[in-house]
PDB file of all heavy atoms in Angstrom:
ATOM      1  N   ILE A 221     -13.451  19.012  -7.353  1.00 90.00           N
ATOM      2  CA  ILE A 221     -14.128  17.680  -7.394  1.00 90.00           C
ATOM      3  C   ILE A 221     -13.584  16.882  -8.580  1.00 90.00           C
ATOM      4  O   ILE A 221     -13.570  15.647  -8.475  1.00 90.00           O
ATOM      5  CB  ILE A 221     -15.765  18.001  -7.575  1.00 90.00           C
ATOM      6  CG1 ILE A 221     -16.446  16.656  -7.401  1.00 90.00           C
ATOM      7  CG2 ILE A 221     -16.015  18.604  -8.846  1.00 90.00           C
ATOM      8  CD1 ILE A 221     -16.220  15.955  -6.061  1.00 90.00           C
ATOM      9  N   ILE A 222     -13.261  17.490  -9.712  1.00 92.00           N
ATOM     10  CA  ILE A 222     -12.649  16.741 -10.781  1.00 92.00           C
ATOM     11  C   ILE A 222     -11.289  16.156 -10.284  1.00 92.00           C
ATOM     12  O   ILE A 222     -10.975  14.976 -10.617  1.00 92.00           O
ATOM     13  CB  ILE A 222     -12.571  17.606 -12.052  1.00 92.00           C
ATOM     14  CG1 ILE A 222     -13.842  17.923 -12.648  1.00 92.00           C
ATOM     15  CG2 ILE A 222     -11.661  16.823 -13.095  1.00 92.00           C
ATOM     16  CD1 ILE A 222     -13.891  18.865 -13.851  1.00 92.00           C
ATOM     17  N   GLY A 223     -10.570  16.900  -9.551  1.00 90.00           N
ATOM     18  CA  GLY A 223      -9.322  16.535  -9.002  1.00 90.00           C
ATOM     19  C   GLY A 223      -9.423  15.365  -8.092  1.00 90.00           C
ATOM     20  O   GLY A 223      -8.588  14.495  -8.066  1.00 90.00           O
ATOM     21  N   VAL A 224     -10.517  15.350  -7.320  1.00 89.00           N
ATOM     22  CA  VAL A 224     -10.761  14.292  -6.349  1.00 89.00           C
ATOM     23  C   VAL A 224     -10.943  13.026  -7.062  1.00 89.00           C
ATOM     24  O   VAL A 224     -10.488  11.878  -6.782  1.00 89.00           O
ATOM     25  CB  VAL A 224     -11.882  14.597  -5.416  1.00 89.00           C
ATOM     26  CG1 VAL A 224     -12.433  13.431  -4.657  1.00 89.00           C
ATOM     27  CG2 VAL A 224     -11.526  15.647  -4.390  1.00 89.00           C
ATOM     28  N   PHE A 225     -11.841  13.051  -8.152  1.00 91.00           N
ATOM     29  CA  PHE A 225     -12.145  11.847  -8.949  1.00 91.00           C
ATOM     30  C   PHE A 225     -10.875  11.397  -9.739  1.00 91.00           C
ATOM     31  O   PHE A 225     -10.651  10.136  -9.928  1.00 91.00           O
ATOM     32  CB  PHE A 225     -13.262  12.092  -9.930  1.00 91.00           C
ATOM     33  CG  PHE A 225     -14.586  11.994  -9.236  1.00 91.00           C
ATOM     34  CD1 PHE A 225     -15.465  13.037  -9.128  1.00 91.00           C
ATOM     35  CD2 PHE A 225     -15.013  10.758  -8.638  1.00 91.00           C
ATOM     36  CE1 PHE A 225     -16.706  12.981  -8.434  1.00 91.00           C
ATOM     37  CE2 PHE A 225     -16.372  10.691  -7.991  1.00 91.00           C
ATOM     38  CZ  PHE A 225     -17.174  11.767  -7.988  1.00 91.00           C
ATOM     39  N   PHE A 226     -10.120  12.359 -10.241  1.00 92.00           N
ATOM     40  CA  PHE A 226      -8.862  11.928 -10.876  1.00 92.00           C
ATOM     41  C   PHE A 226      -7.877  11.256  -9.956  1.00 92.00           C
ATOM     42  O   PHE A 226      -7.322  10.201 -10.247  1.00 92.00           O
ATOM     43  CB  PHE A 226      -8.116  13.217 -11.494  1.00 92.00           C
ATOM     44  CG  PHE A 226      -6.896  12.939 -12.073  1.00 92.00           C
ATOM     45  CD1 PHE A 226      -6.720  12.432 -13.457  1.00 92.00           C
ATOM     46  CD2 PHE A 226      -5.647  13.141 -11.469  1.00 92.00           C
ATOM     47  CE1 PHE A 226      -5.572  12.128 -14.034  1.00 92.00           C
ATOM     48  CE2 PHE A 226      -4.474  12.881 -11.936  1.00 92.00           C
ATOM     49  CZ  PHE A 226      -4.391  12.411 -13.338  1.00 92.00           C
ATOM     50  N   PHE A 227      -7.712  11.812  -8.721  1.00 90.00           N
ATOM     51  CA  PHE A 227      -6.903  11.145  -7.778  1.00 90.00           C
ATOM     52  C   PHE A 227      -7.302   9.820  -7.454  1.00 90.00           C
ATOM     53  O   PHE A 227      -6.550   8.883  -7.307  1.00 90.00           O
ATOM     54  CB  PHE A 227      -6.858  12.118  -6.495  1.00 90.00           C
ATOM     55  CG  PHE A 227      -5.953  11.589  -5.414  1.00 90.00           C
ATOM     56  CD1 PHE A 227      -4.674  11.761  -5.363  1.00 90.00           C
ATOM     57  CD2 PHE A 227      -6.532  10.927  -4.251  1.00 90.00           C
ATOM     58  CE1 PHE A 227      -3.875  11.327  -4.361  1.00 90.00           C
ATOM     59  CE2 PHE A 227      -5.818  10.400  -3.389  1.00 90.00           C
ATOM     60  CZ  PHE A 227      -4.437  10.620  -3.323  1.00 90.00           C
ATOM     61  N   MET A 228      -8.631   9.629  -7.247  1.00 90.00           N
ATOM     62  CA  MET A 228      -9.193   8.369  -6.796  1.00 90.00           C
ATOM     63  C   MET A 228      -8.937   7.254  -7.889  1.00 90.00           C
ATOM     64  O   MET A 228      -8.593   6.135  -7.596  1.00 90.00           O
ATOM     65  CB  MET A 228     -10.770   8.517  -6.625  1.00 90.00           C
ATOM     66  CG  MET A 228     -11.450   7.328  -6.141  1.00 90.00           C
ATOM     67  SD  MET A 228     -13.135   7.735  -5.775  1.00 90.00           S
ATOM     68  CE  MET A 228     -13.832   7.885  -7.416  1.00 90.00           C
ATOM     69  N   ASN A 229      -9.045   7.721  -9.175  1.00 92.00           N
ATOM     70  CA  ASN A 229      -8.754   6.697 -10.224  1.00 92.00           C
ATOM     71  C   ASN A 229      -7.276   6.496 -10.606  1.00 92.00           C
ATOM     72  O   ASN A 229      -6.816   5.523 -11.084  1.00 92.00           O
ATOM     73  CB  ASN A 229      -9.529   7.054 -11.478  1.00 92.00           C
ATOM     74  CG  ASN A 229     -11.066   6.717 -11.326  1.00 92.00           C
ATOM     75  OD1 ASN A 229     -11.368   5.584 -11.448  1.00 92.00           O
ATOM     76  ND2 ASN A 229     -11.863   7.771 -11.028  1.00 92.00           N
ATOM     77  N   TYR A 230      -6.503   7.578 -10.233  1.00 92.00           N
ATOM     78  CA  TYR A 230      -5.094   7.427 -10.304  1.00 92.00           C
ATOM     79  C   TYR A 230      -4.407   6.339  -9.353  1.00 92.00           C
ATOM     80  O   TYR A 230      -3.403   5.884  -9.643  1.00 92.00           O
ATOM     81  CB  TYR A 230      -4.420   8.857 -10.129  1.00 92.00           C
ATOM     82  CG  TYR A 230      -2.917   8.792 -10.242  1.00 92.00           C
ATOM     83  CD1 TYR A 230      -2.252   8.777 -11.482  1.00 92.00           C
ATOM     84  CD2 TYR A 230      -2.096   8.966  -9.103  1.00 92.00           C
ATOM     85  CE1 TYR A 230      -0.841   8.745 -11.576  1.00 92.00           C
ATOM     86  CE2 TYR A 230      -0.751   9.004  -9.191  1.00 92.00           C
ATOM     87  CZ  TYR A 230      -0.139   8.860 -10.449  1.00 92.00           C
ATOM     88  OH  TYR A 230       1.205   8.986 -10.584  1.00 92.00           O
ATOM     89  N   LEU A 231      -5.100   6.183  -8.252  1.00 88.00           N
ATOM     90  CA  LEU A 231      -4.623   5.230  -7.253  1.00 88.00           C
ATOM     91  C   LEU A 231      -4.346   3.830  -7.909  1.00 88.00           C
ATOM     92  O   LEU A 231      -3.330   3.183  -7.478  1.00 88.00           O
ATOM     93  CB  LEU A 231      -5.645   5.022  -6.174  1.00 88.00           C
ATOM     94  CG  LEU A 231      -5.908   6.242  -5.304  1.00 88.00           C
ATOM     95  CD1 LEU A 231      -6.905   5.908  -4.240  1.00 88.00           C
ATOM     96  CD2 LEU A 231      -4.636   6.714  -4.510  1.00 88.00           C
ATOM     97  N   TYR A 232      -5.096   3.475  -8.829  1.00 89.00           N
ATOM     98  CA  TYR A 232      -4.928   2.170  -9.573  1.00 89.00           C
ATOM     99  C   TYR A 232      -3.550   2.048 -10.089  1.00 89.00           C
ATOM    100  O   TYR A 232      -2.878   0.914 -10.110  1.00 89.00           O
ATOM    101  CB  TYR A 232      -5.893   1.985 -10.656  1.00 89.00           C
ATOM    102  CG  TYR A 232      -5.779   0.730 -11.454  1.00 89.00           C
ATOM    103  CD1 TYR A 232      -6.189  -0.473 -11.038  1.00 89.00           C
ATOM    104  CD2 TYR A 232      -5.127   0.715 -12.690  1.00 89.00           C
ATOM    105  CE1 TYR A 232      -6.058  -1.682 -11.779  1.00 89.00           C
ATOM    106  CE2 TYR A 232      -4.988  -0.375 -13.452  1.00 89.00           C
ATOM    107  CZ  TYR A 232      -5.445  -1.655 -12.967  1.00 89.00           C
ATOM    108  OH  TYR A 232      -5.296  -2.786 -13.704  1.00 89.00           O
ATOM    109  N   TYR A 233      -2.876   3.033 -10.458  1.00 88.00           N
ATOM    110  CA  TYR A 233      -1.582   3.013 -11.117  1.00 88.00           C
ATOM    111  C   TYR A 233      -0.456   3.470 -10.202  1.00 88.00           C
ATOM    112  O   TYR A 233       0.754   3.586 -10.527  1.00 88.00           O
ATOM    113  CB  TYR A 233      -1.459   4.028 -12.303  1.00 88.00           C
ATOM    114  CG  TYR A 233      -2.671   3.840 -13.370  1.00 88.00           C
ATOM    115  CD1 TYR A 233      -3.717   4.532 -13.244  1.00 88.00           C
ATOM    116  CD2 TYR A 233      -2.487   2.813 -14.252  1.00 88.00           C
ATOM    117  CE1 TYR A 233      -4.805   4.301 -14.178  1.00 88.00           C
ATOM    118  CE2 TYR A 233      -3.509   2.611 -15.238  1.00 88.00           C
ATOM    119  CZ  TYR A 233      -4.668   3.385 -15.108  1.00 88.00           C
ATOM    120  OH  TYR A 233      -5.772   3.095 -16.026  1.00 88.00           O
ATOM    121  N   SER A 234      -0.712   3.722  -8.944  1.00 89.00           N
ATOM    122  CA  SER A 234       0.161   4.365  -7.988  1.00 89.00           C
ATOM    123  C   SER A 234       0.365   3.563  -6.799  1.00 89.00           C
ATOM    124  O   SER A 234      -0.369   2.654  -6.414  1.00 89.00           O
ATOM    125  CB  SER A 234      -0.499   5.760  -7.567  1.00 89.00           C
ATOM    126  OG  SER A 234       0.275   6.393  -6.449  1.00 89.00           O
ATOM    127  N   LYS A 235       1.562   3.859  -6.199  1.00 86.00           N
ATOM    128  CA  LYS A 235       1.892   3.185  -4.859  1.00 86.00           C
ATOM    129  C   LYS A 235       0.854   3.612  -3.797  1.00 86.00           C
ATOM    130  O   LYS A 235       0.721   2.999  -2.669  1.00 86.00           O
ATOM    131  CB  LYS A 235       3.287   3.662  -4.461  1.00 86.00           C
ATOM    132  CG  LYS A 235       3.358   5.029  -4.073  1.00 86.00           C
ATOM    133  CD  LYS A 235       4.641   5.342  -3.263  1.00 86.00           C
ATOM    134  CE  LYS A 235       4.651   6.869  -2.809  1.00 86.00           C
ATOM    135  NZ  LYS A 235       5.519   7.123  -1.726  1.00 86.00           N
ATOM    136  N   HIS A 236      -0.009   4.655  -3.993  1.00 87.00           N
ATOM    137  CA  HIS A 236      -0.799   5.204  -3.045  1.00 87.00           C
ATOM    138  C   HIS A 236      -2.135   4.370  -2.964  1.00 87.00           C
ATOM    139  O   HIS A 236      -3.063   4.749  -2.250  1.00 87.00           O
ATOM    140  CB  HIS A 236      -1.228   6.571  -3.434  1.00 87.00           C
ATOM    141  CG  HIS A 236      -0.106   7.606  -2.956  1.00 87.00           C
ATOM    142  ND1 HIS A 236       1.047   7.654  -3.665  1.00 87.00           N
ATOM    143  CD2 HIS A 236       0.106   8.459  -1.881  1.00 87.00           C
ATOM    144  CE1 HIS A 236       1.858   8.544  -3.083  1.00 87.00           C
ATOM    145  NE2 HIS A 236       1.230   9.085  -2.064  1.00 87.00           N
ATOM    146  N   LEU A 237      -2.060   3.171  -3.505  1.00 88.00           N
ATOM    147  CA  LEU A 237      -3.078   2.127  -3.169  1.00 88.00           C
ATOM    148  C   LEU A 237      -3.143   1.787  -1.672  1.00 88.00           C
ATOM    149  O   LEU A 237      -4.142   1.350  -1.193  1.00 88.00           O
ATOM    150  CB  LEU A 237      -2.770   0.853  -3.958  1.00 88.00           C
ATOM    151  CG  LEU A 237      -3.459   0.811  -5.424  1.00 88.00           C
ATOM    152  CD1 LEU A 237      -2.981  -0.440  -6.200  1.00 88.00           C
ATOM    153  CD2 LEU A 237      -4.932   0.806  -5.349  1.00 88.00           C
ATOM    154  N   HIS A 238      -2.105   2.183  -1.003  1.00 88.00           N
ATOM    155  CA  HIS A 238      -2.076   1.674   0.392  1.00 88.00           C
ATOM    156  C   HIS A 238      -3.120   2.612   1.178  1.00 88.00           C
ATOM    157  O   HIS A 238      -3.573   2.238   2.256  1.00 88.00           O
ATOM    158  CB  HIS A 238      -0.754   2.057   1.061  1.00 88.00           C
ATOM    159  CG  HIS A 238      -0.413   3.526   1.195  1.00 88.00           C
ATOM    160  ND1 HIS A 238       0.220   4.246   0.286  1.00 88.00           N
ATOM    161  CD2 HIS A 238      -0.600   4.361   2.164  1.00 88.00           C
ATOM    162  CE1 HIS A 238       0.410   5.488   0.568  1.00 88.00           C
ATOM    163  NE2 HIS A 238      -0.108   5.620   1.858  1.00 88.00           N
ATOM    164  N   ILE A 239      -3.639   3.633   0.640  1.00 88.00           N
ATOM    165  CA  ILE A 239      -4.757   4.450   1.137  1.00 88.00           C
ATOM    166  C   ILE A 239      -5.941   3.448   1.448  1.00 88.00           C
ATOM    167  O   ILE A 239      -6.658   3.579   2.427  1.00 88.00           O
ATOM    168  CB  ILE A 239      -5.117   5.563   0.259  1.00 88.00           C
ATOM    169  CG1 ILE A 239      -3.986   6.656   0.246  1.00 88.00           C
ATOM    170  CG2 ILE A 239      -6.368   6.283   0.740  1.00 88.00           C
ATOM    171  CD1 ILE A 239      -4.288   7.733  -0.782  1.00 88.00           C
ATOM    172  N   ILE A 240      -6.102   2.512   0.433  1.00 90.00           N
ATOM    173  CA  ILE A 240      -7.291   1.506   0.522  1.00 90.00           C
ATOM    174  C   ILE A 240      -6.789   0.283   1.131  1.00 90.00           C
ATOM    175  O   ILE A 240      -7.453  -0.235   2.037  1.00 90.00           O
ATOM    176  CB  ILE A 240      -7.872   1.317  -0.806  1.00 90.00           C
ATOM    177  CG1 ILE A 240      -8.318   2.583  -1.494  1.00 90.00           C
ATOM    178  CG2 ILE A 240      -8.965   0.277  -0.808  1.00 90.00           C
ATOM    179  CD1 ILE A 240      -8.657   2.487  -2.906  1.00 90.00           C
ATOM    180  N   PHE A 241      -5.736  -0.340   0.667  1.00 93.00           N
ATOM    181  CA  PHE A 241      -5.362  -1.619   0.970  1.00 93.00           C
ATOM    182  C   PHE A 241      -4.646  -1.764   2.387  1.00 93.00           C
ATOM    183  O   PHE A 241      -4.557  -2.846   2.831  1.00 93.00           O
ATOM    184  CB  PHE A 241      -4.461  -2.277  -0.019  1.00 93.00           C
ATOM    185  CG  PHE A 241      -5.258  -2.680  -1.257  1.00 93.00           C
ATOM    186  CD1 PHE A 241      -4.579  -2.967  -2.475  1.00 93.00           C
ATOM    187  CD2 PHE A 241      -6.601  -2.765  -1.202  1.00 93.00           C
ATOM    188  CE1 PHE A 241      -5.261  -3.375  -3.548  1.00 93.00           C
ATOM    189  CE2 PHE A 241      -7.297  -3.171  -2.364  1.00 93.00           C
ATOM    190  CZ  PHE A 241      -6.644  -3.416  -3.476  1.00 93.00           C
ATOM    191  N   ALA A 242      -4.229  -0.670   2.975  1.00 93.00           N
ATOM    192  CA  ALA A 242      -3.627  -0.784   4.292  1.00 93.00           C
ATOM    193  C   ALA A 242      -4.527  -1.290   5.318  1.00 93.00           C
ATOM    194  O   ALA A 242      -4.038  -2.055   6.251  1.00 93.00           O
ATOM    195  CB  ALA A 242      -3.029   0.618   4.725  1.00 93.00           C
ATOM    196  N   PHE A 243      -5.782  -1.032   5.239  1.00 94.00           N
ATOM    197  CA  PHE A 243      -6.752  -1.552   6.179  1.00 94.00           C
ATOM    198  C   PHE A 243      -6.945  -3.010   6.080  1.00 94.00           C
ATOM    199  O   PHE A 243      -6.714  -3.761   7.152  1.00 94.00           O
ATOM    200  CB  PHE A 243      -8.065  -0.848   6.074  1.00 94.00           C
ATOM    201  CG  PHE A 243      -7.981   0.627   6.344  1.00 94.00           C
ATOM    202  CD1 PHE A 243      -7.654   1.573   5.438  1.00 94.00           C
ATOM    203  CD2 PHE A 243      -8.265   1.064   7.678  1.00 94.00           C
ATOM    204  CE1 PHE A 243      -7.581   2.929   5.799  1.00 94.00           C
ATOM    205  CE2 PHE A 243      -8.192   2.364   8.041  1.00 94.00           C
ATOM    206  CZ  PHE A 243      -7.771   3.298   7.060  1.00 94.00           C
ATOM    207  N   PRO A 244      -7.314  -3.624   4.990  1.00 95.00           N
ATOM    208  CA  PRO A 244      -7.325  -5.206   5.011  1.00 95.00           C
ATOM    209  C   PRO A 244      -5.895  -5.801   5.169  1.00 95.00           C
ATOM    210  O   PRO A 244      -5.909  -6.840   5.749  1.00 95.00           O
ATOM    211  CB  PRO A 244      -7.941  -5.513   3.559  1.00 95.00           C
ATOM    212  CG  PRO A 244      -7.609  -4.226   2.754  1.00 95.00           C
ATOM    213  CD  PRO A 244      -7.786  -3.138   3.634  1.00 95.00           C
ATOM    214  N   ASN A 245      -4.826  -5.093   4.769  1.00 95.00           N
ATOM    215  CA  ASN A 245      -3.592  -5.707   4.866  1.00 95.00           C
ATOM    216  C   ASN A 245      -3.215  -5.825   6.311  1.00 95.00           C
ATOM    217  O   ASN A 245      -2.641  -6.840   6.757  1.00 95.00           O
ATOM    218  CB  ASN A 245      -2.580  -4.763   4.192  1.00 95.00           C
ATOM    219  CG  ASN A 245      -1.210  -5.465   4.110  1.00 95.00           C
ATOM    220  OD1 ASN A 245      -1.026  -6.327   3.246  1.00 95.00           O
ATOM    221  ND2 ASN A 245      -0.201  -5.054   4.871  1.00 95.00           N
TER     222      ASN A 245
END
Side-chain angles (χ1 to χ4, degrees):
I221 189 59
I222 291 173
V224 167
F225 280 116
F226 175 81
F227 179 83
M228 185 173 70
N229 283 284
Y230 178 74
L231 292 179
Y232 176 80
Y233 307 96
S234 170
K235 67 164 186 161
H236 284 72
L237 271 173
H238 73 271
I239 293 173
I240 301 170
F241 283 168
F243 291 89
N245 191 76

